[in-house]
PDB file of all heavy atoms in Angstrom:
ATOM      1  N   VAL A 200       9.174  13.861 -21.326  1.00 98.00           N
ATOM      2  CA  VAL A 200       9.527  14.834 -20.246  1.00 98.00           C
ATOM      3  C   VAL A 200       9.273  14.191 -18.916  1.00 98.00           C
ATOM      4  O   VAL A 200       8.183  13.634 -18.647  1.00 98.00           O
ATOM      5  CB  VAL A 200       8.659  16.106 -20.383  1.00 98.00           C
ATOM      6  CG1 VAL A 200       8.952  17.079 -19.221  1.00 98.00           C
ATOM      7  CG2 VAL A 200       8.894  16.760 -21.709  1.00 98.00           C
ATOM      8  N   ARG A 201      10.322  14.172 -18.083  1.00 98.00           N
ATOM      9  CA  ARG A 201      10.177  13.545 -16.761  1.00 98.00           C
ATOM     10  C   ARG A 201       9.172  14.303 -15.880  1.00 98.00           C
ATOM     11  O   ARG A 201       9.345  15.498 -15.676  1.00 98.00           O
ATOM     12  CB  ARG A 201      11.564  13.509 -16.090  1.00 98.00           C
ATOM     13  CG  ARG A 201      11.644  12.911 -14.685  1.00 98.00           C
ATOM     14  CD  ARG A 201      11.207  11.426 -14.647  1.00 98.00           C
ATOM     15  NE  ARG A 201      11.750  10.589 -15.716  1.00 98.00           N
ATOM     16  CZ  ARG A 201      12.935   9.938 -15.608  1.00 98.00           C
ATOM     17  NH1 ARG A 201      13.619  10.047 -14.467  1.00 98.00           N
ATOM     18  NH2 ARG A 201      13.359   9.188 -16.633  1.00 98.00           N
ATOM     19  N   ARG A 202       8.171  13.635 -15.448  1.00 97.00           N
ATOM     20  CA  ARG A 202       7.151  14.251 -14.604  1.00 97.00           C
ATOM     21  C   ARG A 202       7.213  13.735 -13.199  1.00 97.00           C
ATOM     22  O   ARG A 202       6.959  14.493 -12.225  1.00 97.00           O
ATOM     23  CB  ARG A 202       5.745  13.991 -15.209  1.00 97.00           C
ATOM     24  CG  ARG A 202       5.463  14.635 -16.522  1.00 97.00           C
ATOM     25  CD  ARG A 202       5.595  16.156 -16.422  1.00 97.00           C
ATOM     26  NE  ARG A 202       5.157  16.818 -17.627  1.00 97.00           N
ATOM     27  CZ  ARG A 202       5.250  18.149 -17.843  1.00 97.00           C
ATOM     28  NH1 ARG A 202       5.835  18.895 -16.947  1.00 97.00           N
ATOM     29  NH2 ARG A 202       4.849  18.681 -18.978  1.00 97.00           N
ATOM     30  N   GLN A 203       7.482  12.428 -13.010  1.00 97.00           N
ATOM     31  CA  GLN A 203       7.590  11.898 -11.685  1.00 97.00           C
ATOM     32  C   GLN A 203       8.928  11.243 -11.481  1.00 97.00           C
ATOM     33  O   GLN A 203       9.419  10.526 -12.340  1.00 97.00           O
ATOM     34  CB  GLN A 203       6.485  10.846 -11.427  1.00 97.00           C
ATOM     35  CG  GLN A 203       5.087  11.426 -11.255  1.00 97.00           C
ATOM     36  CD  GLN A 203       4.094  10.380 -10.808  1.00 97.00           C
ATOM     37  OE1 GLN A 203       3.540   9.672 -11.654  1.00 97.00           O
ATOM     38  NE2 GLN A 203       3.847  10.271  -9.525  1.00 97.00           N
ATOM     39  N   SER A 204       9.522  11.481 -10.351  1.00 96.00           N
ATOM     40  CA  SER A 204      10.769  10.828  -9.945  1.00 96.00           C
ATOM     41  C   SER A 204      10.764  10.667  -8.444  1.00 96.00           C
ATOM     42  O   SER A 204      10.638  11.687  -7.730  1.00 96.00           O
ATOM     43  CB  SER A 204      11.958  11.666 -10.429  1.00 96.00           C
ATOM     44  OG  SER A 204      13.196  11.057 -10.103  1.00 96.00           O
ATOM     45  N   GLY A 205      10.831   9.470  -7.962  1.00 95.00           N
ATOM     46  CA  GLY A 205      10.739   9.298  -6.554  1.00 95.00           C
ATOM     47  C   GLY A 205      11.262   7.893  -6.145  1.00 95.00           C
ATOM     48  O   GLY A 205      11.929   7.194  -6.936  1.00 95.00           O
ATOM     49  N   SER A 206      10.967   7.538  -4.964  1.00 96.00           N
ATOM     50  CA  SER A 206      11.436   6.265  -4.391  1.00 96.00           C
ATOM     51  C   SER A 206      10.452   5.745  -3.369  1.00 96.00           C
ATOM     52  O   SER A 206       9.767   6.522  -2.657  1.00 96.00           O
ATOM     53  CB  SER A 206      12.800   6.426  -3.728  1.00 96.00           C
ATOM     54  OG  SER A 206      13.118   5.302  -2.961  1.00 96.00           O
ATOM     55  N   THR A 207      10.296   4.449  -3.274  1.00 97.00           N
ATOM     56  CA  THR A 207       9.459   3.840  -2.286  1.00 97.00           C
ATOM     57  C   THR A 207       9.947   4.158  -0.896  1.00 97.00           C
ATOM     58  O   THR A 207       9.222   3.954   0.095  1.00 97.00           O
ATOM     59  CB  THR A 207       9.385   2.292  -2.459  1.00 97.00           C
ATOM     60  OG1 THR A 207      10.703   1.791  -2.479  1.00 97.00           O
ATOM     61  CG2 THR A 207       8.650   1.922  -3.770  1.00 97.00           C
ATOM     62  N   ALA A 208      11.157   4.673  -0.769  1.00 95.00           N
ATOM     63  CA  ALA A 208      11.706   5.071   0.544  1.00 95.00           C
ATOM     64  C   ALA A 208      10.873   6.123   1.237  1.00 95.00           C
ATOM     65  O   ALA A 208      10.936   6.269   2.440  1.00 95.00           O
ATOM     66  CB  ALA A 208      13.152   5.505   0.458  1.00 95.00           C
ATOM     67  N   THR A 209      10.118   6.934   0.451  1.00 94.00           N
ATOM     68  CA  THR A 209       9.324   7.990   1.099  1.00 94.00           C
ATOM     69  C   THR A 209       7.890   7.563   1.361  1.00 94.00           C
ATOM     70  O   THR A 209       7.037   8.398   1.725  1.00 94.00           O
ATOM     71  CB  THR A 209       9.311   9.276   0.250  1.00 94.00           C
ATOM     72  OG1 THR A 209       8.636   9.018  -0.976  1.00 94.00           O
ATOM     73  CG2 THR A 209      10.760   9.735  -0.038  1.00 94.00           C
ATOM     74  N   MET A 210       7.580   6.246   1.231  1.00 96.00           N
ATOM     75  CA  MET A 210       6.257   5.748   1.538  1.00 96.00           C
ATOM     76  C   MET A 210       5.976   5.985   3.040  1.00 96.00           C
ATOM     77  O   MET A 210       6.882   5.768   3.878  1.00 96.00           O
ATOM     78  CB  MET A 210       6.086   4.267   1.174  1.00 96.00           C
ATOM     79  CG  MET A 210       6.031   4.033  -0.306  1.00 96.00           C
ATOM     80  SD  MET A 210       5.973   2.235  -0.656  1.00 96.00           S
ATOM     81  CE  MET A 210       4.317   1.850  -0.168  1.00 96.00           C
ATOM     82  N   ILE A 211       4.771   6.351   3.384  1.00 96.00           N
ATOM     83  CA  ILE A 211       4.379   6.498   4.766  1.00 96.00           C
ATOM     84  C   ILE A 211       4.051   5.148   5.378  1.00 96.00           C
ATOM     85  O   ILE A 211       4.556   4.806   6.508  1.00 96.00           O
ATOM     86  CB  ILE A 211       3.149   7.469   4.855  1.00 96.00           C
ATOM     87  CG1 ILE A 211       3.513   8.842   4.265  1.00 96.00           C
ATOM     88  CG2 ILE A 211       2.700   7.587   6.328  1.00 96.00           C
ATOM     89  CD1 ILE A 211       2.284   9.709   3.971  1.00 96.00           C
ATOM     90  N   PHE A 212       3.306   4.347   4.733  1.00 97.00           N
ATOM     91  CA  PHE A 212       2.909   3.024   5.214  1.00 97.00           C
ATOM     92  C   PHE A 212       3.508   1.985   4.245  1.00 97.00           C
ATOM     93  O   PHE A 212       3.213   2.021   3.027  1.00 97.00           O
ATOM     94  CB  PHE A 212       1.363   2.881   5.259  1.00 97.00           C
ATOM     95  CG  PHE A 212       0.722   3.915   6.054  1.00 97.00           C
ATOM     96  CD1 PHE A 212       0.040   4.962   5.376  1.00 97.00           C
ATOM     97  CD2 PHE A 212       0.757   3.934   7.425  1.00 97.00           C
ATOM     98  CE1 PHE A 212      -0.594   5.998   6.118  1.00 97.00           C
ATOM     99  CE2 PHE A 212       0.200   4.956   8.167  1.00 97.00           C
ATOM    100  CZ  PHE A 212      -0.538   5.974   7.521  1.00 97.00           C
ATOM    101  N   ASP A 213       4.352   1.070   4.789  1.00 97.00           N
ATOM    102  CA  ASP A 213       4.997   0.065   3.956  1.00 97.00           C
ATOM    103  C   ASP A 213       3.988  -1.052   3.567  1.00 97.00           C
ATOM    104  O   ASP A 213       2.855  -1.086   4.060  1.00 97.00           O
ATOM    105  CB  ASP A 213       6.217  -0.458   4.622  1.00 97.00           C
ATOM    106  CG  ASP A 213       5.988  -1.340   5.863  1.00 97.00           C
ATOM    107  OD1 ASP A 213       4.849  -1.857   6.009  1.00 97.00           O
ATOM    108  OD2 ASP A 213       6.913  -1.484   6.682  1.00 97.00           O
ATOM    109  N   PRO A 214       4.398  -1.933   2.640  1.00 98.00           N
ATOM    110  CA  PRO A 214       3.440  -2.974   2.142  1.00 98.00           C
ATOM    111  C   PRO A 214       2.846  -3.801   3.276  1.00 98.00           C
ATOM    112  O   PRO A 214       1.656  -4.163   3.279  1.00 98.00           O
ATOM    113  CB  PRO A 214       4.286  -3.749   1.186  1.00 98.00           C
ATOM    114  CG  PRO A 214       5.226  -2.772   0.612  1.00 98.00           C
ATOM    115  CD  PRO A 214       5.578  -1.903   1.779  1.00 98.00           C
ATOM    116  N   ALA A 215       3.678  -4.145   4.252  1.00 98.00           N
ATOM    117  CA  ALA A 215       3.165  -5.038   5.321  1.00 98.00           C
ATOM    118  C   ALA A 215       2.116  -4.337   6.187  1.00 98.00           C
ATOM    119  O   ALA A 215       1.067  -4.896   6.499  1.00 98.00           O
ATOM    120  CB  ALA A 215       4.320  -5.525   6.202  1.00 98.00           C
ATOM    121  N   GLU A 216       2.370  -3.037   6.452  1.00 97.00           N
ATOM    122  CA  GLU A 216       1.376  -2.307   7.230  1.00 97.00           C
ATOM    123  C   GLU A 216       0.114  -2.067   6.478  1.00 97.00           C
ATOM    124  O   GLU A 216      -0.996  -2.099   7.002  1.00 97.00           O
ATOM    125  CB  GLU A 216       1.988  -0.972   7.685  1.00 97.00           C
ATOM    126  CG  GLU A 216       1.023  -0.054   8.404  1.00 97.00           C
ATOM    127  CD  GLU A 216       0.374  -0.616   9.637  1.00 97.00           C
ATOM    128  OE1 GLU A 216       0.866  -1.653  10.168  1.00 97.00           O
ATOM    129  OE2 GLU A 216      -0.665  -0.099  10.096  1.00 97.00           O
ATOM    130  N   ILE A 217       0.226  -1.864   5.128  1.00 98.00           N
ATOM    131  CA  ILE A 217      -0.964  -1.690   4.323  1.00 98.00           C
ATOM    132  C   ILE A 217      -1.832  -2.944   4.409  1.00 98.00           C
ATOM    133  O   ILE A 217      -3.046  -2.911   4.590  1.00 98.00           O
ATOM    134  CB  ILE A 217      -0.567  -1.317   2.868  1.00 98.00           C
ATOM    135  CG1 ILE A 217       0.004   0.069   2.817  1.00 98.00           C
ATOM    136  CG2 ILE A 217      -1.773  -1.496   1.914  1.00 98.00           C
ATOM    137  CD1 ILE A 217       0.624   0.414   1.506  1.00 98.00           C
ATOM    138  N   LEU A 218      -1.181  -4.136   4.167  1.00 98.00           N
ATOM    139  CA  LEU A 218      -1.938  -5.382   4.210  1.00 98.00           C
ATOM    140  C   LEU A 218      -2.568  -5.640   5.616  1.00 98.00           C
ATOM    141  O   LEU A 218      -3.757  -6.014   5.713  1.00 98.00           O
ATOM    142  CB  LEU A 218      -1.076  -6.563   3.828  1.00 98.00           C
ATOM    143  CG  LEU A 218      -1.305  -7.108   2.421  1.00 98.00           C
ATOM    144  CD1 LEU A 218      -0.846  -6.089   1.426  1.00 98.00           C
ATOM    145  CD2 LEU A 218      -0.582  -8.441   2.251  1.00 98.00           C
ATOM    146  N   ARG A 219      -1.739  -5.439   6.660  1.00 98.00           N
ATOM    147  CA  ARG A 219      -2.224  -5.654   8.006  1.00 98.00           C
ATOM    148  C   ARG A 219      -3.447  -4.752   8.265  1.00 98.00           C
ATOM    149  O   ARG A 219      -4.458  -5.143   8.819  1.00 98.00           O
ATOM    150  CB  ARG A 219      -1.134  -5.387   8.998  1.00 98.00           C
ATOM    151  CG  ARG A 219      -1.489  -5.750  10.442  1.00 98.00           C
ATOM    152  CD  ARG A 219      -0.770  -4.903  11.491  1.00 98.00           C
ATOM    153  NE  ARG A 219      -1.129  -3.507  11.404  1.00 98.00           N
ATOM    154  CZ  ARG A 219      -2.239  -2.955  11.880  1.00 98.00           C
ATOM    155  NH1 ARG A 219      -3.142  -3.745  12.485  1.00 98.00           N
ATOM    156  NH2 ARG A 219      -2.485  -1.702  11.742  1.00 98.00           N
ATOM    157  N   TYR A 220      -3.295  -3.464   7.895  1.00 98.00           N
ATOM    158  CA  TYR A 220      -4.385  -2.517   8.140  1.00 98.00           C
ATOM    159  C   TYR A 220      -5.648  -2.857   7.373  1.00 98.00           C
ATOM    160  O   TYR A 220      -6.747  -2.913   7.953  1.00 98.00           O
ATOM    161  CB  TYR A 220      -3.900  -1.129   7.703  1.00 98.00           C
ATOM    162  CG  TYR A 220      -4.865  -0.011   7.937  1.00 98.00           C
ATOM    163  CD1 TYR A 220      -4.972   0.632   9.229  1.00 98.00           C
ATOM    164  CD2 TYR A 220      -5.713   0.447   6.958  1.00 98.00           C
ATOM    165  CE1 TYR A 220      -5.875   1.641   9.438  1.00 98.00           C
ATOM    166  CE2 TYR A 220      -6.650   1.459   7.194  1.00 98.00           C
ATOM    167  CZ  TYR A 220      -6.704   2.082   8.418  1.00 98.00           C
ATOM    168  OH  TYR A 220      -7.603   3.082   8.633  1.00 98.00           O
ATOM    169  N   LEU A 221      -5.524  -3.127   6.088  1.00 98.00           N
ATOM    170  CA  LEU A 221      -6.682  -3.469   5.267  1.00 98.00           C
ATOM    171  C   LEU A 221      -7.397  -4.710   5.815  1.00 98.00           C
ATOM    172  O   LEU A 221      -8.645  -4.756   5.750  1.00 98.00           O
ATOM    173  CB  LEU A 221      -6.260  -3.656   3.842  1.00 98.00           C
ATOM    174  CG  LEU A 221      -5.841  -2.447   3.041  1.00 98.00           C
ATOM    175  CD1 LEU A 221      -5.330  -2.831   1.624  1.00 98.00           C
ATOM    176  CD2 LEU A 221      -6.942  -1.393   2.936  1.00 98.00           C
ATOM    177  N   SER A 222      -6.669  -5.655   6.273  1.00 98.00           N
ATOM    178  CA  SER A 222      -7.245  -6.940   6.737  1.00 98.00           C
ATOM    179  C   SER A 222      -8.072  -6.748   7.972  1.00 98.00           C
ATOM    180  O   SER A 222      -8.824  -7.697   8.352  1.00 98.00           O
ATOM    181  CB  SER A 222      -6.147  -7.996   6.967  1.00 98.00           C
ATOM    182  OG  SER A 222      -5.425  -7.756   8.186  1.00 98.00           O
ATOM    183  N   GLN A 223      -8.018  -5.604   8.630  1.00 98.00           N
ATOM    184  CA  GLN A 223      -8.880  -5.363   9.804  1.00 98.00           C
ATOM    185  C   GLN A 223     -10.268  -4.914   9.363  1.00 98.00           C
ATOM    186  O   GLN A 223     -11.225  -4.990  10.158  1.00 98.00           O
ATOM    187  CB  GLN A 223      -8.317  -4.247  10.696  1.00 98.00           C
ATOM    188  CG  GLN A 223      -6.848  -4.496  11.058  1.00 98.00           C
ATOM    189  CD  GLN A 223      -6.524  -5.779  11.657  1.00 98.00           C
ATOM    190  OE1 GLN A 223      -7.142  -6.206  12.649  1.00 98.00           O
ATOM    191  NE2 GLN A 223      -5.538  -6.471  11.093  1.00 98.00           N
ATOM    192  N   PHE A 224     -10.450  -4.551   8.091  1.00 98.00           N
ATOM    193  CA  PHE A 224     -11.693  -3.988   7.623  1.00 98.00           C
ATOM    194  C   PHE A 224     -12.346  -4.785   6.487  1.00 98.00           C
ATOM    195  O   PHE A 224     -13.505  -4.644   6.223  1.00 98.00           O
ATOM    196  CB  PHE A 224     -11.492  -2.588   7.091  1.00 98.00           C
ATOM    197  CG  PHE A 224     -10.880  -1.645   8.147  1.00 98.00           C
ATOM    198  CD1 PHE A 224      -9.522  -1.376   8.075  1.00 98.00           C
ATOM    199  CD2 PHE A 224     -11.603  -1.120   9.120  1.00 98.00           C
ATOM    200  CE1 PHE A 224      -8.905  -0.554   8.995  1.00 98.00           C
ATOM    201  CE2 PHE A 224     -11.043  -0.242  10.060  1.00 98.00           C
ATOM    202  CZ  PHE A 224      -9.688   0.004  10.008  1.00 98.00           C
ATOM    203  N   MET A 225     -11.506  -5.627   5.818  1.00 98.00           N
ATOM    204  CA  MET A 225     -12.004  -6.457   4.680  1.00 98.00           C
ATOM    205  C   MET A 225     -11.189  -7.720   4.559  1.00 98.00           C
ATOM    206  O   MET A 225     -10.076  -7.795   5.137  1.00 98.00           O
ATOM    207  CB  MET A 225     -11.933  -5.637   3.375  1.00 98.00           C
ATOM    208  CG  MET A 225     -10.504  -5.280   2.988  1.00 98.00           C
ATOM    209  SD  MET A 225     -10.401  -4.268   1.512  1.00 98.00           S
ATOM    210  CE  MET A 225     -10.925  -2.690   2.156  1.00 98.00           C
ATOM    211  N   VAL A 226     -11.734  -8.679   3.847  1.00 98.00           N
ATOM    212  CA  VAL A 226     -11.001  -9.877   3.597  1.00 98.00           C
ATOM    213  C   VAL A 226     -10.297  -9.707   2.222  1.00 98.00           C
ATOM    214  O   VAL A 226     -10.951  -9.401   1.228  1.00 98.00           O
ATOM    215  CB  VAL A 226     -11.914 -11.102   3.553  1.00 98.00           C
ATOM    216  CG1 VAL A 226     -11.135 -12.372   3.153  1.00 98.00           C
ATOM    217  CG2 VAL A 226     -12.575 -11.346   4.889  1.00 98.00           C
ATOM    218  N   LEU A 227      -8.985  -9.910   2.232  1.00 98.00           N
ATOM    219  CA  LEU A 227      -8.207  -9.832   0.990  1.00 98.00           C
ATOM    220  C   LEU A 227      -8.066 -11.252   0.451  1.00 98.00           C
ATOM    221  O   LEU A 227      -7.627 -12.156   1.201  1.00 98.00           O
ATOM    222  CB  LEU A 227      -6.823  -9.266   1.251  1.00 98.00           C
ATOM    223  CG  LEU A 227      -6.849  -7.822   1.756  1.00 98.00           C
ATOM    224  CD1 LEU A 227      -5.470  -7.394   2.267  1.00 98.00           C
ATOM    225  CD2 LEU A 227      -7.352  -6.797   0.736  1.00 98.00           C
ATOM    226  N   GLU A 228      -8.415 -11.439  -0.795  1.00 98.00           N
ATOM    227  CA  GLU A 228      -8.364 -12.758  -1.426  1.00 98.00           C
ATOM    228  C   GLU A 228      -7.098 -12.926  -2.256  1.00 98.00           C
ATOM    229  O   GLU A 228      -6.517 -11.992  -2.721  1.00 98.00           O
ATOM    230  CB  GLU A 228      -9.615 -12.912  -2.335  1.00 98.00           C
ATOM    231  CG  GLU A 228     -10.955 -12.801  -1.651  1.00 98.00           C
ATOM    232  CD  GLU A 228     -11.294 -13.977  -0.699  1.00 98.00           C
ATOM    233  OE1 GLU A 228     -10.488 -14.908  -0.635  1.00 98.00           O
ATOM    234  OE2 GLU A 228     -12.384 -13.900  -0.105  1.00 98.00           O
ATOM    235  N   PRO A 229      -6.644 -14.175  -2.427  1.00 98.00           N
ATOM    236  CA  PRO A 229      -5.520 -14.418  -3.289  1.00 98.00           C
ATOM    237  C   PRO A 229      -5.712 -13.839  -4.692  1.00 98.00           C
ATOM    238  O   PRO A 229      -6.732 -13.979  -5.246  1.00 98.00           O
ATOM    239  CB  PRO A 229      -5.453 -15.953  -3.344  1.00 98.00           C
ATOM    240  CG  PRO A 229      -6.142 -16.401  -2.096  1.00 98.00           C
ATOM    241  CD  PRO A 229      -7.248 -15.421  -1.826  1.00 98.00           C
ATOM    242  N   GLY A 230      -4.694 -13.138  -5.111  1.00 98.00           N
ATOM    243  CA  GLY A 230      -4.753 -12.527  -6.423  1.00 98.00           C
ATOM    244  C   GLY A 230      -5.247 -11.097  -6.454  1.00 98.00           C
ATOM    245  O   GLY A 230      -5.228 -10.440  -7.518  1.00 98.00           O
ATOM    246  N   ASP A 231      -5.744 -10.600  -5.300  1.00 98.00           N
ATOM    247  CA  ASP A 231      -6.186  -9.211  -5.193  1.00 98.00           C
ATOM    248  C   ASP A 231      -4.970  -8.312  -5.439  1.00 98.00           C
ATOM    249  O   ASP A 231      -3.834  -8.629  -5.126  1.00 98.00           O
ATOM    250  CB  ASP A 231      -6.768  -8.919  -3.862  1.00 98.00           C
ATOM    251  CG  ASP A 231      -8.258  -9.361  -3.708  1.00 98.00           C
ATOM    252  OD1 ASP A 231      -8.776  -9.836  -4.758  1.00 98.00           O
ATOM    253  OD2 ASP A 231      -8.828  -9.262  -2.612  1.00 98.00           O
ATOM    254  N   LEU A 232      -5.261  -7.094  -5.957  1.00 98.00           N
ATOM    255  CA  LEU A 232      -4.246  -6.108  -6.245  1.00 98.00           C
ATOM    256  C   LEU A 232      -4.431  -4.889  -5.367  1.00 98.00           C
ATOM    257  O   LEU A 232      -5.554  -4.417  -5.201  1.00 98.00           O
ATOM    258  CB  LEU A 232      -4.330  -5.697  -7.717  1.00 98.00           C
ATOM    259  CG  LEU A 232      -3.339  -4.627  -8.197  1.00 98.00           C
ATOM    260  CD1 LEU A 232      -1.892  -5.003  -8.006  1.00 98.00           C
ATOM    261  CD2 LEU A 232      -3.647  -4.203  -9.642  1.00 98.00           C
TER     262      LEU A 232
END
């Protein structure tokens, strides 16, 4: 039964903004998820 159906188009913060934002508060290491 289909429960979720969506698109990354409705994301509020895109991947670049997420990384930029997180990097102001913590160090992201290679291989982090």
